[in-house]
Amino acid sequence: MKIGSSELILNADHSVYHLNLFPQDLADTVITVGDPDRVKRVSQYFDKIDLKKGKREFLTHTGWLNNKRISVISTGIGTDNIDIVLNELDALVNIDFETRTIKKDKTRLDIIRIGTSGAIQPDIPLDSFLLSEYAIGLDSLLHFYNSAHIQHPEIQQAFLKHTNWLKDKSNPYVVEYDKTLGAQFISDKMQLGFTATNVGFYGPQGRILRLKLEDENMNAKLASFNYNDKRITNLEMETSGIYGLAKLLGHRAVSLNCIVANRPNGQFSSRPDLAIDELIKHALDKIA
């Protein structure tokens, strides 16, 4: 069935609309980072860079490390941007742009998020590394897709009850990492965690500047939630969207977090750039 031009939008040169990429520009291993400036902080370790291309906040470098082809792409902030990036990455490998039809033989991408995050447990050290085993999405992205079969409703229901979740907010959803891909990154340096993906940076993450919050105890409720010895460990803004869409589209995904803040202790890293560089090098070593 042909996909209409208003649904799969291509640029005048037939590159995909937002990412400005052609299918041949993308490697099967994709590192995602939020900040466009972080793309070059990853690709500086490549042996060779074949492509540098960008549009809006979406910057891509594709190159080689130890004979492995890797793309690194910036997503910007939030699961709304993740919706764009994941769908267009999949389109690049699984849709024929000439015929506008879905390919019979699908390509599976390995998607590795390297990002920063804030801990909500006092015992998680600054500058430590955390792999998101589960993510709870406090946004609404996955509810726009037929996604019930990849969610964990038993954890969701326990969370709703524990937090007395306001019904006017988005209904949380819980998704899991790809265990096979994730096993490559588990080490003494990498703790497993349960990540809350927030819909914003200030109020949704319990920050108070000038506006009062609907629930000033929300972070404490998140931190005290426990389901079968799984506690929520950290806050960020992309992981649940990456995990959910990757599973729905048949890709593998893992989210690696550098803990640059500890919210209950009121601390922020004194060396965030060094810490994220250490995580980048650790991830690249496991990938290549």
Side-chain angles (χ1 to χ4, degrees), residues 112-272:
I112 301 101
R113 173 187 176 269
I114 299 177
T116 56
S117 186
I120 59 170
Q121 301 293 346
D123 60 309
I124 297 179
L126 292 178
D127 304 327
S128 63
F129 303 157
L130 184 146
L131 188 159
S132 304
E133 184 179 18
Y134 289 88
I136 183 164
L138 306 182
D139 61 311
S140 62
L141 175 61
L142 231 58
H143 299 310
F144 288 90
Y145 296 95
N146 182 9
S147 62
H149 60 290
I150 66 164
Q151 297 182 36
H152 293 267
E154 69 285 356
I155 304 178
Q156 175 206 50
Q157 291 303 314
F159 177 85
L160 292 173
K161 182 177 180 180
H162 175 80
T163 57
N164 192 25
W165 193 253
L166 183 70
K167 64 179 180 61
D168 293 333
K169 294 178 180 176
S170 299
N171 203 24
Y173 59 90
V174 179
V175 285
E176 192 175 358
Y177 77 139
D178 184 274
K179 294 180 181 179
T180 303
L181 179 61
Q184 298 180 24
F185 298 93
I186 294 175
S187 69
D188 292 340
K189 294 183 177 181
M190 189 72 65
Q191 60 187 306
L192 290 177
F194 188 168
T195 297
T197 295
N198 300 81
V199 73
F201 185 77
Y202 288 96
Q205 293 191 35
R207 290 184 171 90
I208 301 173
L209 300 184
R210 294 185 58 236
L211 298 177
K212 294 186 64 176
L213 304 180
E214 176 272 329
D215 186 351
E216 294 186 358
N217 297 313
M218 181 52 60
N219 280 6
K221 292 178 181 179
L222 293 177
S224 60
F225 176 69
N226 190 301
Y227 183 85
N228 289 347
D229 295 327
K230 295 188 185 301
R231 59 178 186 164
I232 296 177
T233 50
N234 60 305
L235 309 177
E236 51 75 77
M237 295 179 63
E238 290 86 36
T239 297
S240 65
I242 293 173
Y243 282 6
L245 292 184
K247 281 187 180 294
L248 291 175
L249 290 165
H251 305 299
R252 306 193 303 182
V254 66
S255 177
L256 309 179
N257 303 268
C258 181
I259 302 299
V260 297
N262 187 293
R263 299 294 301 284
N265 295 338
Q267 297 174 329
F268 191 84
S269 173
S270 61
R271 52 187 291 274

Side-chain angles (χ1 to χ4, degrees), residues 40-76:
K40 63 184 177 183
R41 292 175 62 182
V42 175
S43 68
Q44 68 175 322
Y45 297 109
F46 290 179
D47 299 322
K48 178 184 177 184
I49 299 173
D50 294 331
L51 174 132
K52 294 182 179 181
K53 189 180 286 187
K55 183 180 178 183
R56 304 188 187 189
E57 63 265 55
F58 308 113
L59 177 64
T60 301
H61 289 183
T62 296
W64 297 84
L65 179 62
N66 294 346
N67 295 317
K68 185 175 184 65
R69 193 168 185 244
I70 304 170
S71 293
V72 54
I73 183 169
S74 58
T75 65

